[in-house]
Amino acid sequence: MSKVIIVGGVAGGASAAARLRRLDEKAEIIMFEKGEYISFANCGLPYYIGGEITEKEALTLQTPESFHGRFNVDVRVLQEVISIDVNKKLVRVKNLKTNETYEETYDKLLLSPGAAPAKPNIKGGDNEKVFTLRNIPDTYRIKDYADKRHVKSAVIVGGGYIGVEMADNLHAAGLKVTIVEFADHVIAPIDYDMACEVHNHIRSKGVNLILKDGVKEIRDQGEQLKVILGNGEIITDMVIMSVGVRPESTLAKDAGLEVSPKGAIIVNANMQTSNRDIYAVGDAIQIKDFVTGDDGYIPLAGPANKQGRIAAENIVGISSTYKGTQGTGILKCFDLTIANTGITEARAKELNLNYEKSFTYSASHASYYPGAVNMSIKLIFDKDSGKILGAQIVGYEGTDKRLDVIATAIRAGMTIYDLTELELAYAPPFSSAKDPVNMAGFVAENIMTGKVKNFHWNEVKDLPRDGSVSLLDVRTNMEYENGSIDGFMNIPLDDLREKLHILDKSKPVYVTCQIGLRGYLACRILEQNGYECYNLSGGYRLYNTIYY
Amino acid sequence: MSKVIIVGGVAGGASAAARLRRLDEKAEIIMFEKGEYISFANCGLPYYIGGEITEKEALTLQTPESFHGRFNVDVRVLQEVISIDVNKKLVRVKNLKTNETYEETYDKLLLSPGAAPAKPNIKGGDNEKVFTLRNIPDTYRIKDYADKRHVKSAVIVGGGYIGVEMADNLHAAGLKVTIVEFADHVIAPIDYDMACEVHNHIRSKGVNLILKDGVKEIRDQGEQLKVILGNGEIITDMVIMSVGVRPESTLAKDAGLEVSPKGAIIVNANMQTSNRDIYAVGDAIQIKDFVTGDDGYIPLAGPANKQGRIAAENIVGISSTYKGTQGTGILKCFDLTIANTGITEARAKELNLNYEKSFTYSASHASYYPGAVNMSIKLIFDKDSGKILGAQIVGYEGTDKRLDVIATAIRAGMTIYDLTELELAYAPPFSSAKDPVNMAGFVAENIMTGKVKNFHWNEVKDLPRDGSVSLLDVRTNMEYENGSIDGFMNIPLDDLREKLHILDKSKPVYVTCQIGLRGYLACRILEQNGYECYNLSGGYRLYNTIYY
Ligand SMILES: Cc1cc2nc3c(=O)[nH]c(=O)nc-3n(C[C@H](O)[C@H](O)[C@H](O)COP(=O)(O)OP(=O)(O)OC[C@H]3O[C@@H](n4cnc5c(N)ncnc54)[C@H](O)[C@@H]3O)c2cc1C
Ligand SMILES: Cc1cc2nc3c(=O)[nH]c(=O)nc-3n(C[C@H](O)[C@H](O)[C@H](O)COP(=O)(O)OP(=O)(O)OC[C@H]3O[C@@H](n4cnc5c(N)ncnc54)[C@H](O)[C@@H]3O)c2cc1C
Ligand SMILES: CC(C)(COP(=O)(O)OP(=O)(O)OC[C@H]1O[C@@H](n2cnc3c(N)ncnc32)[C@H](O)[C@@H]1OP(=O)(O)O)[C@@H](O)C(=O)NCCC(=O)NCCS
Ligand SMILES: CC(C)(COP(=O)(O)OP(=O)(O)OC[C@H]1O[C@@H](n2cnc3c(N)ncnc32)[C@H](O)[C@@H]1OP(=O)(O)O)[C@@H](O)C(=O)NCCC(=O)NCCS
């Protein structure tokens, strides 16, 4: 009978324990959790604070008792594993209730200690009105503080997934919210151009969004706090620090296990650490980026759960491999959904990849059926092969669906040509005969096969306004009059064929329309009539979202 | 300059015309449509009748004028192509306004004439109160009749996609609806076991659903109709015939083009008919079944649109291939969503494939986040390779998403093992850390790797009740008391380890729980304790849905 010790009783740890028991009814399994709770819904915590989730019980999927009852696992909460002796194959455990320490031997050890919120070294960052959010006690602390002190405002430092979710939820709870983000945009796994729509949405909700600025210091100011930025200051009732997480790998490091420069535990595809009897999963480990093959760090619940299951298989001797993380993520941001998979354009640039990109804007379902809303899709793909490298979608209904389809396509190694062929379910309440994913594929295909040459929003301001090129807006007069790009003249698409003579054939034509579709049609007409021409990818809509 | 003639101005025809123009600005393109409208939303018609779509204009995406304005296509409505002279490369056209006929030559001809509602040879089937639904005039006819005569009831003959959509919509319009379906279940592209939930749902809405019966005769009965079935009769105000469609291939046949025994035009992967200058797409053609490679007939809008685009490419000389239709379909049926892709179990049986299947029942999003609802997923996969052959999902929110993910996986040739690895977007409002698709993959994997042996709902009644086998229900006492399968004894899962002695090790154990999950856990415990055991796939829930 083998004895398996698991460190950490939540996503990776509990998943591994459950699968392990199913695979080996006879193993002795001990699961240590330094906190009070196991199997809790980390991802639900912001929604409890916001009031969307109302039952405390809803936050814990299993209790130590229920988990023992079902899986016959010896669950020890409030017990912290403080060191590993890899030679003696034992762990030293501190019982946090009694402060006693004791040892437990193992045949196999699995580490799923997760990651802790990063606490940047800010003067005053240890103020008791400054909070981080990782677990249930943190959650109660924030909620109790907000409720009991009748808190009216909060500053959220960091506009990542958790920061934005907290903004949404604290706003829902009635607080005046400020987000301070050091970068030029929120949600690092999407690009700046896609994030602009998110910025506008967040601001439209009355949230104060400060970009490209950081917190220098936090001071008490009466009952409140003064948050001093590089550029300005904010008086607020509380601060939430959400500037990322760092792997909890001290235990592993101290035991001599290999860790990455950033402190993530290094594992092979079987989830084995540098010590063959020790496995590690979840937020504590370094992963292979599925798209680039590079080492990476992507702390997400889906991967943690799957890695836990895979580690369990390897522990019982079933060879099972984890093929990498592509970083599929999603969040609700007020009414918007923001979702991403694979790499961003920014990352493709960093890696010097030979990539292309497309922007489309498509209806969630048939436009003639009530309730259709548009979503923006950005695709990043390899310029030679057309292989999909990443996608970002910002929208409402159906955003998650299209993202998951593309995430699946990326897993399958598909190209943008394959996207044109996907046979997705169509009836008016659900999609269009050409699904937004097909449409993104068509548009990318037209770029790849040279049917259209594009220019981009960031190139608009540098276009000559001296008459050496033609700047053409093919929307209707009314659309044009409601707002257009400086220097662009208007010939509506449907008049273009008869008004071609207005355009000088010796000059390149830069075309825009609302979303890029009519500009594409115009370019097809122009090009076949002998013009050199370029279509503004994403059209006036994308441009205007960015320069709003 | 080449001259292209297109027959049919809707899904396949208009898509081809638009793409053709984009690819060749100079071609002469004439699009003939025998009806009054082009580019109309066939799929939206039921929703106009039901009142969900209120604007007539919403039903037409383009008018002949707008299509000409945009694409410079010569659109001729109310003009029927009545014959093709393949030698002279010309078509004969009848102007339905003037009754004149004339000829037009072509370099390339594209046929997208669609399919007409099948009209079975029923006595009285030509009664003016008996309707079929294909186009806008049909739609007005039905709606006008229903509105002006204050129609209170309708019989729908045929429970396919359109029949069920019409039931939903006529019910929404306040009519008492009866569906008469000849088969043992509605929606042929899903299996009987999955359809049972649909039957229960339809009936719960007050719709009278008659299965395994057909209409023999329709007679006038005062202002009403008497619909005589094999077994009984119904008095009703109107009848909708929706028993399928047949390809409109007379034109093609008369021109000597190859057609299938069922009358569908035969094309190659370039959408070329047996005459190399004539292409055909859409509901009129025979397709290759993407999953089996067999010839098939699957009339759907997504394929028609894509085939139109592909035909246009081939017409201008860009080689482009259509890789087959997998039959991805979806419909809203009152509050339910029913979606399918690939082949059914019934079809797999017909083809004598060596298949396996799994049933799962998963929450649309994290169960701790408000509003989660369950969906039933049936996967059909190859027993040797694990390759996914088909999937059916019946549920609410998020049903379309999971179906599209699996449809994409099928396109990619993925296996059920791949489904376990899909990295899908997770945050509480959208999914679970293990998405329902992952979960279906896990369950299928456990079957494939022999971690559990299943039995099925249809085998339950034949299990011996003479004590020679143990019949075990591992749900809680309360669940058990609320309803259980005849002959099954109750040991709740969490008590099983201590009560194992109750079960005779020499007898096979047949286990059930609510959905199959706890039964699986019980089987893992039993098997590793030396029992031969089987889990009821889909559990009591599926069983009870079927024998409801
Ligand atoms: C507020 C919030 C929202 C999130 N939302 C999402 C989301 O929407 N989608 C998503 O994919 N991901 C989300 N995540 C991330 C997700 O929760 C993590 O990726 C996942 O929980 C990682 O699993 P894990 O097992 O590695 O770590 P954890 O789930 O953090 O579990 C690790 C456990 O180990 C315990 N532990 C650590 N060291 C020791 C020790 N020495 N001895 C004993 N116990 C120890 C810790 O107390 C902790 O409970 C969110 C995270 C947070 C905090
Ligand atoms: C009520 C209804 C609901 C539907 N719902 C869905 C759905 O939700 N999802 C889905 O995927 N599919 C749905 N469909 C099917 C979908 O509409 C078809 O698959 C699609 O329209 C086929 O395109 P097509 O171009 O082949 O034929 P059609 O769109 O039918 O167009 C063919 C046109 O050709 C014209 N024509 C025929 N012969 C001639 C001739 N000799 N000369 C001139 N013109 C001619 C016809 O008048 C017709 O307008 C639905 C169909 C109907 C009727
Ligand atoms: C819940 C938790 C304890 C894992 O338990 P689990 O038993 O592995 O997970 P589930 O209850 O979802 O059950 C999945 C198992 O049931 C099986 N199953 C599911 N539905 C089934 C069905 N209808 N029939 C048969 N088997 C079924 C699956 O195959 C899987 O078993 P396997 O891994 O042996 O293949 C763990 O994931 C956890 O603690 N989660 C909360 C923490 C967390 O994930 N946080 C981050 C997100 S908020
Ligand atoms: C609408 C209809 C006329 C087709 O017209 P279409 O111009 O091909 O289709 P869309 O308007 O969707 O535009 C798609 C084109 O715009 C391009 N496009 C879309 N968005 C774009 C963007 N943001 N930037 C650049 N190009 C874009 C696509 O690449 C595609 O062009 P391509 O085929 O040359 O690659 C035809 O499909 C039709 O009649 N439909 C109604 C009938 C029907 O389908 N019935 C059944 C379902 S109810």
Side-chain angles (χ1 to χ4, degrees):
Chain A
M1 196 181 75
S2 76
K3 179 171 169 187
V4 182
I5 285 187
I6 296 174
V7 181
V10 195
S15 291
R19 176 74 172 160
L20 205 51
R21 173 55 72 222
R22 289 190 284 268
L23 294 177
D24 186 352
E25 177 64 17
K26 305 293 174 189
E28 181 181 356
I29 308 173
I30 309 177
M31 185 165 84
F32 289 105
E33 168 54 57
K34 70 178 175 189
E36 188 182 339
Y37 303 91
I38 62 158
S39 280
F40 63 84
N42 330 50
C43 319
L45 303 179
Y47 296 93
Y48 180 76
I49 294 171
E52 190 88 38
I53 297 174
T54 51
E55 303 293 320
K56 284 193 174 188
E57 298 70 41
L59 295 177
T60 42
L61 280 74
Q62 293 276 358
T63 63
E65 298 69 40
S66 71
F67 202 80
H68 177 263
R70 174 129 316 167
F71 295 112
N72 189 25
V73 167
D74 181 354
V75 179
R76 304 194 192 164
V77 292
L78 293 169
Q79 311 227 12
E80 180 173 1
V81 173
I82 52 175
S83 68
I84 308 168
D85 187 328
V86 295
N87 297 319
K88 294 198 186 136
K89 292 183 71 172
L90 60 80
V91 295
R92 240 158 256 113
V93 183
K94 182 170 182 182
N95 182 329
L96 301 177
K97 288 167 285 190
T98 62
N99 265 329
E100 283 162 327
T101 61
Y102 64 96
E103 296 176 346
E104 260 324 322
T105 58
Y106 63 80
D107 295 312
K108 302 284 177 191
L109 175 62
L110 172 70
L111 306 177
S112 189
K119 291 188 185 162
N121 202 356
I122 293 172
K123 200 170 159 198
D126 55 354
N127 192 301
E128 52 157 33
K129 293 173 188 145
V130 176
F131 300 86
T132 55
L133 176 61
R134 178 189 185 178
N135 53 31
I136 295 187
D138 294 340
T139 308
Y140 293 164
R141 220 174 283 130
I142 294 171
K143 194 164 169 71
D144 285 354
Y145 182 81
D147 288 353
K148 288 190 188 137
R149 305 279 192 107
H150 304 292
V151 155
K152 296 209 168 47
S153 63
V155 168
I156 293 168
V157 184
Y161 292 120
I162 295 179
V164 171
E165 282 185 350
M166 281 304 292
D168 183 351
N169 277 289
L170 289 178
H171 180 269
L175 274 67
K176 169 75 195 153
V177 174
T178 299
I179 301 176
V180 180
E181 166 59 55
F182 196 72
D184 64 356
H185 72 280
V186 298
I187 312 293
I190 68 173
D191 287 310
Y192 173 76
D193 42 25
M194 293 297 285
C196 287
E197 184 167 349
V198 180
H199 298 162
N200 300 342
H201 187 75
I202 289 176
R203 286 179 173 137
S204 78
K205 295 295 171 180
V207 168
N208 179 22
L209 173 62
I210 299 174
L211 298 169
K212 298 198 251 185
D213 204 348
V215 176
K216 299 268 175 230
E217 192 184 335
I218 300 172
R219 286 193 208 147
D220 277 312
Q221 166 104 353
E223 291 285 280
Q224 295 188 288
L225 292 175
K226 178 191 278 185
V227 180
I228 302 169
L229 308 180
N231 188 4
E233 48 187 54
I234 314 166
I235 306 301
T236 187
D237 293 332
M238 68 193 295
V239 171
I240 310 279
M241 290 295 248
S242 53
V243 295
V245 297
R246 47 160 199 71
E248 288 236 35
S249 56
T250 317
L251 194 62
K253 244 180 296 188
D254 291 351
L257 303 182
E258 264 184 61
V259 300
S260 75
K262 286 182 180 159
I265 305 171
I266 294 177
V267 295
N268 62 18
N270 301 122
M271 313 315 299
Q272 237 165 351
T273 67
S274 54
N275 181 305
R276 59 189 310 276
D277 293 319
I278 307 181
Y279 294 76
V281 299
D283 286 4
I285 67 161
Q286 173 175 288
I287 52 82
K288 280 264 172 285
D289 184 307
F290 182 82
V291 172
T292 65
D294 297 333
D295 293 332
Y297 180 66
I298 304 181
L300 286 170
N305 270 271
K306 292 190 187 97
Q307 292 157 5
R309 191 170 180 275
I310 288 171
E313 296 182 343
N314 286 297
I315 287 173
V316 301
I318 300 172
S319 173
S320 175
T321 58
Y322 182 73
K323 309 219 172 77
T325 301
Q326 66 197 68
T328 306
I330 193 165
L331 84 159
K332 172 175 124 44
C333 166
F334 300 88
D335 312 328
L336 268 187
T337 300
I338 307 163
N340 63 280
T341 185
I343 63 170
T344 57
E345 180 182 2
R347 181 80 185 131
K349 255 189 200 138
E350 262 171 40
L351 294 172
N352 252 314
L353 299 183
N354 190 23
Y355 71 91
E356 254 298 352
K357 61 185 164 181
S358 68
F359 292 96
T360 44
Y361 193 63
S362 304
S364 54
H365 62 246
S367 50
Y368 58 78
Y369 186 86
V373 280
N374 285 320
M375 66 185 78
S376 312
I377 304 183
K378 178 174 182 176
L379 270 188
I380 297 110
F381 46 96
D382 185 89
K383 206 171 183 156
D384 295 320
S385 64
K387 193 167 166 184
I388 311 158
L389 302 174
Q392 303 157 37
I393 314 188
V394 176
Y396 303 83
E397 174 203 282
T399 295
D400 57 334
K401 174 163 75 172
R402 276 55 181 227
L403 195 284
D404 275 357
V405 166
I406 301 177
T408 303
I410 289 182
R411 264 292 134 168
M414 281 181 158
T415 66
I416 55 101
Y417 305 107
D418 295 316
L419 295 188
T420 68
E421 295 176 3
L422 291 182
E423 194 184 319
L424 303 169
Y426 165 56
F430 304 100
S431 185
S432 296
K434 294 165 185 164
D435 187 86
V437 175
N438 296 135
M439 205 60 105
F442 294 143
V443 170
E445 182 190 54
N446 289 330
I447 298 170
M448 288 288 283
T449 55
K451 303 236 162 21
V452 68
K453 293 196 285 285
N454 284 340
F455 66 109
H456 289 282
W457 59 269
N458 51 329
E459 295 164 327
V460 171
K461 64 176 184 326
D462 295 333
L463 290 176
R465 260 73 174 183
D466 60 1
S468 61
V469 303
S470 302
L471 303 179
L472 177 66
D473 186 328
V474 297
R475 295 176 301 159
T476 61
N477 296 144
M478 213 213 280
E479 288 174 285
Y480 179 76
E481 274 155 26
N482 279 335
S484 67
I485 306 178
D486 190 40
F488 277 67
M489 63 178 282
N490 183 221
I491 306 177
L493 172 62
D494 294 347
D495 302 342
L496 185 60
R497 285 188 182 89
E498 359 177 309
K499 294 199 175 157
L500 271 186
H501 58 272
I502 301 181
L503 298 167
D504 184 341
K505 217 170 251 185
S506 69
K507 294 176 184 169
V509 190
Y510 290 83
V511 186
T512 186
C513 65
Q514 186 63 15
I515 66 161
L517 197 170
R518 281 172 290 172
Y520 159 61
L521 302 191
C523 281
R524 294 302 304 158
I525 295 172
L526 288 166
E527 199 203 285
Q528 294 180 72
N529 277 290
Y531 291 81
E532 178 187 342
C533 58
Y534 302 90
N535 184 29
L536 178 60
S537 187
Y540 181 72
R541 196 206 69 88
L542 179 64
Y543 176 89
N544 193 42
T545 303
I546 295 168
Y547 292 109
Y548 181 69
Chain B
M1 195 181 75
S2 75
K3 180 169 169 188
V4 182
I5 285 186
I6 296 174
V7 180
V10 194
S15 290
R19 176 73 171 160
L20 203 51
R21 172 56 71 223
R22 289 188 285 269
L23 294 177
D24 186 353
E25 178 62 16
K26 306 293 174 191
E28 181 183 356
I29 307 173
I30 308 176
M31 186 166 84
F32 290 104
E33 168 54 56
K34 70 178 173 188
E36 185 184 342
Y37 302 92
I38 62 158
S39 279
F40 64 83
N42 329 50
C43 321
L45 303 179
Y47 296 94
Y48 180 77
I49 294 171
E52 190 87 41
I53 298 174
T54 50
E55 303 293 320
K56 284 192 173 186
E57 298 69 42
L59 295 177
T60 42
L61 280 73
Q62 294 275 358
T63 63
E65 297 70 39
S66 71
F67 202 80
H68 178 261
R70 174 130 316 166
F71 296 112
N72 189 26
V73 166
D74 181 355
V75 180
R76 305 193 191 163
V77 293
L78 294 170
Q79 311 226 14
E80 181 174 0
V81 174
I82 51 174
S83 67
I84 308 169
D85 186 328
V86 296
N87 297 319
K88 297 199 184 137
K89 291 181 73 173
L90 60 80
V91 295
R92 239 160 256 110
V93 183
K94 181 170 183 183
N95 182 328
L96 301 178
K97 287 167 287 188
T98 63
N99 264 329
E100 283 161 326
T101 61
Y102 63 98
E103 295 175 348
E104 268 310 331
T105 59
Y106 63 80
D107 294 312
K108 301 283 176 190
L109 175 64
L110 173 70
L111 306 178
S112 189
K119 291 190 185 159
N121 203 358
I122 292 172
K123 199 169 161 201
D126 54 356
N127 192 300
E128 51 157 35
K129 294 174 186 145
V130 177
F131 300 86
T132 56
L133 177 62
R134 176 187 186 181
N135 52 32
I136 295 188
D138 294 341
T139 308
Y140 293 165
R141 218 172 286 130
I142 293 172
K143 194 165 167 70
D144 285 354
Y145 182 82
D147 288 353
K148 290 192 187 133
R149 306 276 192 108
H150 304 291
V151 154
K152 297 209 165 48
S153 62
V155 169
I156 293 168
V157 185
Y161 292 121
I162 295 178
V164 172
E165 282 185 350
M166 281 303 294
D168 183 351
N169 277 290
L170 290 177
H171 180 268
L175 274 66
K176 170 75 195 155
V177 175
T178 299
I179 301 176
V180 180
E181 166 59 53
F182 196 73
D184 63 356
H185 71 283
V186 298
I187 312 294
I190 68 174
D191 285 309
Y192 172 76
D193 41 25
M194 294 296 283
C196 287
E197 185 167 347
V198 180
H199 298 163
N200 300 341
H201 187 75
I202 289 175
R203 286 177 174 141
S204 78
K205 296 294 171 180
V207 168
N208 180 21
L209 174 61
I210 298 173
L211 297 168
K212 299 199 252 184
D213 204 348
V215 175
K216 299 268 176 232
E217 191 184 336
I218 300 172
R219 284 193 208 148
D220 277 311
Q221 165 104 353
E223 291 286 279
Q224 296 189 288
L225 291 175
K226 180 191 275 186
V227 180
I228 302 168
L229 308 179
N231 188 2
E233 47 187 55
I234 314 165
I235 305 301
T236 187
D237 293 331
M238 68 192 295
V239 170
I240 309 280
M241 290 294 251
S242 54
V243 294
V245 296
R246 48 159 197 73
E248 288 235 35
S249 55
T250 317
L251 194 61
K253 244 179 295 184
D254 290 350
L257 303 181
E258 264 184 60
V259 300
S260 74
K262 286 182 179 160
I265 305 172
I266 295 178
V267 295
N268 64 18
N270 301 123
M271 314 314 301
Q272 236 164 355
T273 66
S274 53
N275 181 307
R276 60 190 307 276
D277 293 318
I278 306 180
Y279 294 77
V281 300
D283 285 4
I285 68 163
Q286 171 174 289
I287 52 81
K288 278 264 169 289
D289 185 307
F290 183 83
V291 172
T292 64
D294 296 334
D295 293 332
Y297 180 67
I298 305 182
L300 286 169
N305 269 272
K306 291 189 189 95
Q307 291 158 4
R309 192 171 179 276
I310 289 171
E313 296 182 343
N314 286 299
I315 286 173
V316 301
I318 300 171
S319 172
S320 176
T321 56
Y322 183 73
K323 310 221 172 74
T325 301
Q326 66 198 69
T328 306
I330 193 165
L331 84 159
K332 172 175 124 42
C333 166
F334 299 89
D335 312 328
L336 267 187
T337 299
I338 307 163
N340 62 281
T341 186
I343 63 170
T344 56
E345 180 182 3
R347 180 80 185 131
K349 254 190 202 140
E350 261 171 38
L351 294 172
N352 252 313
L353 299 183
N354 189 22
Y355 71 92
E356 254 297 352
K357 61 186 164 179
S358 68
F359 292 96
T360 45
Y361 194 63
S362 302
S364 53
H365 62 246
S367 50
Y368 57 78
Y369 186 86
V373 279
N374 285 321
M375 67 185 78
S376 313
I377 304 183
K378 178 174 182 177
L379 270 188
I380 296 112
F381 46 96
D382 184 90
K383 205 169 184 159
D384 296 319
S385 64
K387 193 166 165 186
I388 310 158
L389 302 174
Q392 301 157 38
I393 314 187
V394 176
Y396 303 85
E397 176 203 280
T399 294
D400 57 335
K401 173 163 76 172
R402 278 52 180 228
L403 196 281
D404 275 357
V405 165
I406 301 176
T408 304
I410 289 181
R411 265 288 136 169
M414 281 179 156
T415 65
I416 55 102
Y417 305 108
D418 295 316
L419 296 188
T420 68
E421 296 176 2
L422 291 183
E423 194 184 318
L424 303 169
Y426 165 55
F430 304 100
S431 184
S432 296
K434 293 167 187 162
D435 187 86
V437 174
N438 296 136
M439 204 61 104
F442 294 143
V443 171
E445 181 190 55
N446 290 329
I447 297 169
M448 288 287 284
T449 56
K451 304 239 161 20
V452 68
K453 293 196 285 281
N454 284 339
F455 66 108
H456 289 282
W457 59 269
N458 52 327
E459 295 164 328
V460 170
K461 66 174 183 326
D462 295 333
L463 290 175
R465 260 74 173 181
D466 60 1
S468 60
V469 303
S470 302
L471 303 179
L472 177 66
D473 185 329
V474 297
R475 295 176 301 159
T476 61
N477 295 145
M478 214 213 279
E479 288 173 285
Y480 179 76
E481 274 155 26
N482 280 335
S484 67
I485 305 177
D486 190 41
F488 278 68
M489 64 179 283
N490 182 222
I491 305 178
L493 173 63
D494 294 348
D495 302 341
L496 184 62
R497 285 188 183 87
E498 359 178 310
K499 295 198 173 157
L500 271 186
H501 58 270
I502 300 181
L503 298 167
D504 186 339
K505 218 171 252 184
S506 68
K507 293 177 186 170
V509 190
Y510 289 83
V511 186
T512 186
C513 66
Q514 186 63 16
I515 65 161
L517 197 170
R518 283 172 289 172
Y520 160 60
L521 303 189
C523 280
R524 293 303 304 158
I525 296 171
L526 287 165
E527 197 202 286
Q528 294 179 71
N529 278 289
Y531 291 81
E532 178 188 342
C533 57
Y534 302 90
N535 184 30
L536 179 60
S537 186
Y540 181 71
R541 196 206 69 86
L542 179 64
Y543 176 88
N544 194 43
T545 302
I546 296 167
Y547 292 108
Y548 182 69

